[in-house]
């Protein structure tokens, strides 16, 4: 389980794709604890799958163990996530090639849609390099609750 209070949690994952299953369960538990819309779990896990798969697959040249920190928080108006790692410097929002959506689906090259989906599903997606660490920040604005009569 991650560390934190009800509206904030930090998880430390190892650079292994099997960790995505544990992360998905933690995201669902966080959303449930905070009474957030259940659809957010799918949205954030889709983004995490893309970003963390890229980090694990391409971010480390030494083949050794590395920690990937995932922080979730909410203030009631938005849900925010940060993904931080010590992999190779890579800004997915500038360096990943944009997908070519003009070809028929059977003729498109494989890949390239992940970062596109992250941008389309999040209200805010940003990257910065802090020393030797990559930091991706994602945020989704929560729809206001319907006014009770």
């Amino acid at each position: 389980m991650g560390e934190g209070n009800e509206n904030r949690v930090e998880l430390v994952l190892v650079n292994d794709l099997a960790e995505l299953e544990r992360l998905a369960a933690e995201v669902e538990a966080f959303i449930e604890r905070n009474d957030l819309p259940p659809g957010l779990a799918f949205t954030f896990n889709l983004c995490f799958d893309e970003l963390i798969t890229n980090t694990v697959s391409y971010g480390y040249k030494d083949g050794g163990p590395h920690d990937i920190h995932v922080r979730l928080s909410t203030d009631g108006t938005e849900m925010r996530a940060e993904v931080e790692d010590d992999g190779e410097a890579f800004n997915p929002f500038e360096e990943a090639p944009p997908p070519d959506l003009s070809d028929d689906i059977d003729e498109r090259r494989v890949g390239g849609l992940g970062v596109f989906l992250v941008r389309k599903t999040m209200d805010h997606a940003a990257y910065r390099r802090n020393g030797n660490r990559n930091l991706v920040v994602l945020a989704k604005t929560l729809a206001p609750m319907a006014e009770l009569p």
Side-chain angles (χ1 to χ4, degrees):
M1 173 117 176
E3 295 180 22
N5 58 24
E6 287 220 0
N7 64 349
R8 183 174 303 275
V9 67
E10 179 168 358
L11 303 129
V12 180
L13 313 174
V14 295
N15 56 320
D16 182 332
L17 294 178
E19 288 279 76
L20 289 171
E21 188 175 327
R22 181 170 69 95
L23 175 59
E26 291 285 350
V27 169
E28 288 175 17
F30 177 82
I31 287 170
E32 188 174 310
R33 261 193 327 271
N34 286 282
D35 198 28
L36 299 175
L40 284 176
F42 176 81
T43 301
F44 275 89
N45 283 325
L46 177 75
C47 294
F48 291 146
D49 280 357
E50 174 61 25
L51 296 170
I52 292 172
T53 296
N54 285 346
T55 298
V56 170
S57 300
Y58 309 111
Y60 303 108
K61 304 286 189 224
D62 63 8
H66 293 268
D67 290 340
I68 300 170
H69 295 255
V70 178
R71 292 179 287 276
L72 306 173
S73 63
T74 185
D75 62 3
T77 63
E78 78 173 4
M79 181 170 162
R80 185 179 179 95
E82 297 178 357
V83 179
E84 185 175 9
D85 66 72
D86 66 343
E88 298 287 319
F90 181 74
N91 181 342
F93 305 116
E94 289 184 2
E95 297 177 48
D100 181 0
L101 302 176
S102 62
D103 286 337
D104 186 43
I105 195 161
D106 294 330
E107 296 173 12
R108 286 186 204 151
R109 71 178 171 82
V110 174
L113 286 176
V115 173
F116 174 79
L117 289 173
V118 171
R119 285 187 191 167
K120 289 294 184 188
T121 59
M122 289 292 143
D123 295 314
H124 175 78
Y127 167 89
R128 74 173 173 262
R129 184 81 174 167
N130 287 336
N132 68 341
R133 302 190 67 78
N134 296 301
L135 178 65
V136 173
V137 178
L138 307 172
K140 186 78 174 158
T141 304
L142 303 174
M145 297 296 285
E147 298 276 333
L148 294 175

